[in-house]
Amino acid sequence: MRITRVMGAALLALGLAAGPAAADSSPSPSASADGDAPTRAGTSFRTATEIEQGQQATASGSTGDYLYWSFPADTGQRPTVKATVKLPDAHGFETWQLDVYDGLRRRQSCQYGAQTRTAAQGAGSVELACVLRTVRGWAEPWANDPLPGTYYVRLTVVDLGAADLGKPVGAEVRVDSKDIGGAAAVDGSLGKPLVPGIAAKSEQDEDGSKGAVLSSFGSDDGWSSGWWSDRWVWTGIGAVLAALAGIGGYVLTRGSGRPSRVPPNV
């Protein structure tokens, strides 16, 4: 009974400690906290329109244009990019594609989602989606793993008839993330997130000029430090449970002492 009470109290305390860690793995808010969503898109990586996660960005363009947006993603997040293209009233078959690149402009593969879709003749719109892999805090230089920093979204048509080239279209893009937490944590972290201007340093203190900045947007609480995750909490819970199981097994197998049938030593 004593062992049962001890184990029950320990489990209750550990459950209370793990509560905040479990809450950290909840999905990010579905709406932007402040500011108006952008109503235009860039035409290259350098002019990509910055959007925050949870914002519904819109843009107008023409078939054949390359539309670019950028958004920040931090360690432990699994971003989902969704795009809707509103097509003109009369058109033929059109194939649209949604691509996502990291801060090094490496094309990132999608875990799942319709990254390329073909709109039937006369269809009013086409929807695309890309669920990226979980952003890691660190990776080998030769790996193509997603790392914290800026990500670029490119939306364009890849196949259409010559008569449909240049017709007006509308686009809607939204990025949301799910916080995976310690389930995808790795040892190690980047020195700096992969954001525009990471290779440049400001020289304002020396000659009054100012170089490229890291980024004009990012996490409200700053970028993740990379070493802490709820994996440490669950590792501690496992260690305590193992210790309690060892103590309980010892008590159960030890018995109550010398059996009564054994005579005492003379």
Side-chain angles (χ1 to χ4, degrees):
M1 293 296 294
R2 181 179 302 173
I3 294 298
T4 304
R5 290 195 298 269
V6 172
M7 293 181 68
L11 290 174
L12 178 60
L14 290 172
L16 294 176
D24 293 340
S25 62
S26 60
S28 57
S30 59
S32 176
D34 55 1
D36 296 330
T39 57
R40 62 179 182 84
T43 57
S44 66
F45 287 103
R46 295 178 61 87
T47 61
T49 299
E50 297 176 355
I51 61 175
E52 294 286 352
Q53 293 188 20
Q55 282 187 326
Q56 179 94 359
T58 58
S60 299
S62 303
T63 52
D65 291 343
Y66 285 88
L67 305 178
Y68 287 83
W69 295 267
S70 63
F71 66 93
D74 207 350
T75 304
Q77 293 182 340
R78 186 174 64 191
T80 298
V81 183
K82 295 182 179 180
T84 301
V85 183
K86 297 181 179 179
L87 304 173
D89 296 335
H91 64 84
F93 288 91
E94 297 183 4
T95 302
W96 287 79
Q97 183 167 303
L98 177 70
D99 296 309
V100 182
Y101 298 83
D102 65 5
L104 297 178
R105 300 184 186 179
R106 302 176 301 182
R107 185 175 181 272
Q108 292 294 311
S109 59
C110 302
Q111 281 188 316
Y112 51 87
Q115 188 176 4
T116 303
R117 297 191 69 176
T118 299
Q121 185 174 2
S125 63
V126 59
E127 296 183 354
L128 305 103
C130 175
V131 179
L132 297 174
R133 295 170 295 167
T134 303
V135 178
R136 297 161 54 94
W138 177 85
E140 293 288 351
W142 47 261
N144 195 34
D145 297 322
L147 297 170
T150 299
Y151 283 77
Y152 298 92
V153 178
R154 184 178 72 180
L155 179 65
T156 188
V157 63
V158 294
D159 188 18
L160 78 164
D164 294 327
L165 187 63
K167 287 187 176 181
V169 294
E172 296 179 356
V173 172
R174 182 184 179 91
V175 180
D176 293 290
S177 285
K178 180 179 181 181
D179 293 326
I180 304 302
V186 295
D187 294 331
S189 61
L190 291 180
K192 295 289 184 180
L194 303 178
V195 294
I198 189 61
K201 296 182 179 179
S202 174
E203 300 178 354
Q204 187 173 6
D205 296 336
E206 298 179 3
D207 56 4
S209 62
K210 186 176 182 181
V213 297
L214 293 181
S215 182
S216 60
F217 66 106
S219 175
D220 294 337
D221 299 328
W223 295 99
S224 174
S225 61
W227 68 272
W228 168 256
S229 70
D230 55 6
R231 182 179 62 171
W232 293 99
V233 176
W234 294 111
T235 301
I237 292 176
V240 172
L241 291 177
L244 292 176
I247 295 173
Y250 172 75
V251 171
L252 292 175
T253 57
R254 182 180 61 126
S256 58
R258 179 186 293 271
S260 59
R261 64 180 179 274
V262 177
N265 293 330
V266 177

